[in-house]
Amino acid sequence: MLVETTIEQKLLSAFEPSHLEVINESSQHNVPPGSESHFKVVIVSDKFAGERLIKRHRAINSVLAEELSDKIHALALHTYTQQEWQNYYADNVPGSPRCLGGSTA
């Protein structure tokens, strides 16, 4: 099964999001064509209500622990409640940073 599909299925099951985007950004990085190692996730769920950003990210990391251990090199997370999404982020999801190819430059 594709890593992208696995991520999507696990997040749908765990968070019941009203909006979910799993974007394979591997082509923007120095990896072989067809790779599935760099992802951006935009997820809107009422399960994030009252939770700080770090707790939201830890919850997602926990659900995707297996994939993060050996398949995913980079995971950009954008986690919102329905209210946050409607009030601001629906049209303003931050872009991903430019890849530095593993360097610290």
Side-chain angles (χ1 to χ4, degrees):
M1 180 182 307
L2 296 173
V3 176
E4 183 175 347
T5 303
T6 300
I7 293 170
E8 189 171 283
Q9 288 176 350
K10 285 186 171 187
L11 295 178
L12 285 168
S13 177
F15 298 99
E16 301 170 1
S18 59
H19 179 85
L20 176 64
E21 294 176 61
V22 178
I23 304 158
N24 184 348
E25 296 186 327
S26 300
S27 66
Q28 300 171 20
H29 303 275
N30 190 20
V31 296
S35 291
E36 287 192 290
S37 58
H38 294 67
F39 290 92
K40 175 179 179 175
V41 169
V42 179
I43 183 169
V44 180
S45 174
D46 285 333
K47 292 192 177 196
F48 297 138
E51 301 293 347
R52 299 184 80 169
L53 187 61
I54 188 74
K55 191 163 183 183
R56 296 174 188 189
H57 287 204
R58 284 180 178 157
I60 289 174
N61 289 343
S62 177
V63 168
L64 300 178
E66 182 180 339
E67 291 72 26
L68 287 166
S69 71
D70 67 348
K71 294 179 179 92
I72 299 173
H73 173 73
L75 182 63
L77 298 175
H78 302 279
T79 57
Y80 309 108
T81 64
Q82 188 65 40
Q83 184 176 9
E84 291 167 340
W85 181 249
Q86 288 175 344
N87 290 346
Y88 181 72
Y89 292 103
D91 296 320
N92 295 298
V93 174
S96 295
R98 186 173 76 60
C99 180
L100 298 176
S103 74
T104 57

